[in-house]
């Protein structure tokens, strides 16, 4: 939805004029205690027209690292654009965030109910409102996530393979890795794709955890993207990434062959060779110690940090085929 000639952004029943800063409440439902719940939508507009970029996090309430990235975009003034508009929604699933849970209070995963309905479950209503009232206004979306349940992700952008423009944007973002993955049915990413809105999905770190290097990767990537769009605040500078992004065509999980106590001995993001020892599984009684070996060469893009594993549990995510 391009802005009218007078360049007024009319969003969530609020008019936001050029050069204005506004915080609007994405009002959905109260708590069961009847307390109001604030879901702030922070809007910063430059005088000059330009693209509208949306930064979102906390679709999963336990993925605090994503929230921290958007928080830093705001606190460092990165969300004040030179041209155009930046919209930040640091915590979309505030109900999960309050309880430190991935899901909504009724157990629904917000990222599996898109595009939602106006009269559906609470999660479905949130999805609907996001799709109906925010996404039509924006040109680009960057959605921040983490790995789940103790599985630590190397900072990575996930996009679907076919889209050339997304490839370009992912390259500009400059995270250590880009992983090609299909759009999941009923996900936020899939709904945005169907609306023709380019989205970069960032995954880094793990739930209930804030990792400085993951945060830096998300913040610096956002700055690079804004610079590429000509939007980065003139007071700021985007640094080039230390290494070129590795594009991964195919990857696989290495699973535990034994139940036991697990310790990884390889750093996240490392390039390993076939047969390298990645960690060990032991029993509590000192009777066995099984090494976990790399089945082939590749980059380790996720490490399970849980001290206890069962046979079949995913231990490492390793790249299999890189894009040439
Ligand atoms: Zn997530």
């Amino acid at each position: 939805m391009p802005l009218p000639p007078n360049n007024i952004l009319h969003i969530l029943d609020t008019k936001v004029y050029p050069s204005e800063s506004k915080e609007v409440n994405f009002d959905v439902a109260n708590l069961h205690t009847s307390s109001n719940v604030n879901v702030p939508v922070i809007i910063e507009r430059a005088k000059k027209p330009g693209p509208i970029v949306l930064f979102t996090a906390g679709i999963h309430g336990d993925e605090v690292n994503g929230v921290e990235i958007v928080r830093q975009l705001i606190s460092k003034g990165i969300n004040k654009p030179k041209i155009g508009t930046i919209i930040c929604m640091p915590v979309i699933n505030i109900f999960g965030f309050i309880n430190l849970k991935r899901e909504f209070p009724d157990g629904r995963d917000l990222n599996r109910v898109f595009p939602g309905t106006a009269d559906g479950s609470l999660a479905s209503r949130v999805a609907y409102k996001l799709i109906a009232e925010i996404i039509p206004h924006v040109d680009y979306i960057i959605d921040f996530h983490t790995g789940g349940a103790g599985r630590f992700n190397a900072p990575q952008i996930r996009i679907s393979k076919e889209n050339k423009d997304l490839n370009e944007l992912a390259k500009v973002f400059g995270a250590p890795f880009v992983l090609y993955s299909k759009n999941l049915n009923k996900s936020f990413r899939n709904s945005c794709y169907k609306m023709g809105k380019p989205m970069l999905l960032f995954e880094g770190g793990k739930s209930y955890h804030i990792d400085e290097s993951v945060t830096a990767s998300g913040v610096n990537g956002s700055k690079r993207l804004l610079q590429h769009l000509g939007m980065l605040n003139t007071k700021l500078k985007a640094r080039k990434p230390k290494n070129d992004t590795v594009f991964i065509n195919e990857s696989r999980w290495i699973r535990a062959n034994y139940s036991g106590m697990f310790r990884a001995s390889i750093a996240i993001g490392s390039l390993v060779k076939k047969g390298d020892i990645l960690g060990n599984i032991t029993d509590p009684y000192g009777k066995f110690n099984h090494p976990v070996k790399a089945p082939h060469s590749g980059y380790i893009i996720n490490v399970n940090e849980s001290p206890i594993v069962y046979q079949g549990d995913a231990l490492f995510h390793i790249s299999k085929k890189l894009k040439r």
Side-chain angles (χ1 to χ4, degrees):
M1 205 189 312
L3 291 179
N6 59 9
N7 198 16
I8 297 170
L9 173 65
H10 198 169
I11 191 165
L12 297 168
D13 297 325
T14 308
K15 281 182 181 156
V16 193
Y17 293 85
S19 307
E20 258 196 330
S21 309
K22 266 221 173 122
E23 188 178 312
V24 188
N25 187 14
F26 186 82
D27 190 16
V28 199
N30 284 347
L31 285 185
H32 52 290
T33 54
S34 81
S35 303
N36 286 330
V37 176
N38 259 334
V39 182
V41 181
I42 296 142
I43 304 167
E44 292 284 350
R45 301 201 62 202
K47 196 171 165 193
K48 273 194 181 171
I52 303 185
V53 176
L54 171 67
F55 292 103
T56 53
I59 276 203
H60 296 128
D62 59 352
E63 298 182 357
V64 192
N65 215 146
V67 178
E68 169 65 7
I69 292 170
V70 181
R71 183 196 74 78
Q72 288 203 11
L73 294 180
I74 300 164
S75 73
K76 292 180 171 170
I78 299 165
N79 69 328
K80 292 188 190 301
K82 185 165 81 172
I83 60 164
T85 302
I86 296 177
I87 304 175
C88 291
M89 295 183 73
V91 195
I92 292 185
N93 175 6
I94 202 104
F95 301 94
F97 192 65
I98 288 169
N99 298 307
L100 274 183
K101 288 238 162 70
R102 177 185 174 87
E103 298 88 4
F104 267 65
D106 68 355
R108 279 187 172 82
D109 181 338
L110 176 60
N111 215 15
R112 299 290 180 275
V113 299
F114 278 89
T117 53
D119 55 0
S121 69
L122 180 55
S124 178
R125 289 172 194 218
V126 169
Y128 181 79
K129 191 161 173 153
L130 191 56
I131 290 300
E133 296 191 36
I134 307 258
I135 301 306
H137 296 288
V138 310
D139 301 306
Y140 301 93
I141 303 132
I142 298 93
D143 187 29
F144 293 96
H145 289 257
T146 75
R151 293 192 183 95
F152 195 105
N153 267 323
Q156 55 194 262
I157 291 288
R158 296 193 175 182
I159 51 173
S160 62
K161 203 172 266 178
E162 310 76 38
N163 196 320
K164 268 202 183 135
D165 298 343
L166 282 183
N167 248 312
E168 178 62 29
L169 290 178
K171 204 171 173 183
V172 166
F173 194 94
F177 299 99
V178 169
L179 204 66
Y180 292 112
S181 71
K182 280 191 185 126
N183 288 328
L184 285 177
N185 196 22
K186 294 195 167 187
S187 66
F188 182 32
R189 179 154 70 117
N190 200 33
S191 280
C192 291
Y193 167 76
K194 283 184 181 164
M195 292 167 82
K197 306 284 183 176
M199 176 204 273
L200 294 183
L201 189 147
F202 175 95
E203 285 246 4
K206 60 178 181 178
S207 51
Y208 308 109
H209 190 83
I210 295 176
D211 179 273
E212 265 178 46
S213 69
V214 168
T215 307
S217 179
V219 169
N220 289 328
S222 303
K223 281 164 79 176
R224 285 179 207 118
L225 188 82
L226 292 172
Q227 179 160 281
H228 173 77
L229 298 171
M231 296 173 71
L232 188 66
N233 193 310
T234 39
K235 290 177 197 151
L236 302 168
K237 248 192 165 164
R239 273 179 298 157
K240 268 193 175 169
K242 271 189 209 137
N243 299 305
D244 284 345
T245 301
V246 176
F247 283 72
I248 298 171
N249 257 340
E250 225 184 288
S251 58
R252 60 164 285 196
W253 284 96
I254 302 169
R255 293 184 179 274
N257 287 332
Y258 307 90
S259 302
M261 291 152 71
F262 172 63
R263 195 177 61 84
S265 50
I266 193 89
I268 186 93
S270 326
L271 177 61
V272 301
K273 287 198 291 291
K274 182 178 177 175
D276 282 357
I277 293 175
L278 309 177
N280 292 74
I281 299 175
T282 56
D283 71 318
Y285 314 109
K287 285 187 179 153
F288 72 72
N289 186 345
H290 296 292
V292 181
K293 291 182 181 170
H296 52 78
S297 301
Y299 287 93
I300 300 296
I301 53 172
N302 183 296
V303 174
N304 188 339
E305 295 189 340
S306 163
I308 305 291
V309 295
Y310 277 93
Q311 193 181 107
D313 279 0
L315 302 180
F316 300 97
H317 197 185
I318 184 170
S319 68
K320 197 162 183 199
K321 258 192 202 154
L322 302 183
K323 191 181 144 197
R324 301 265 160 233

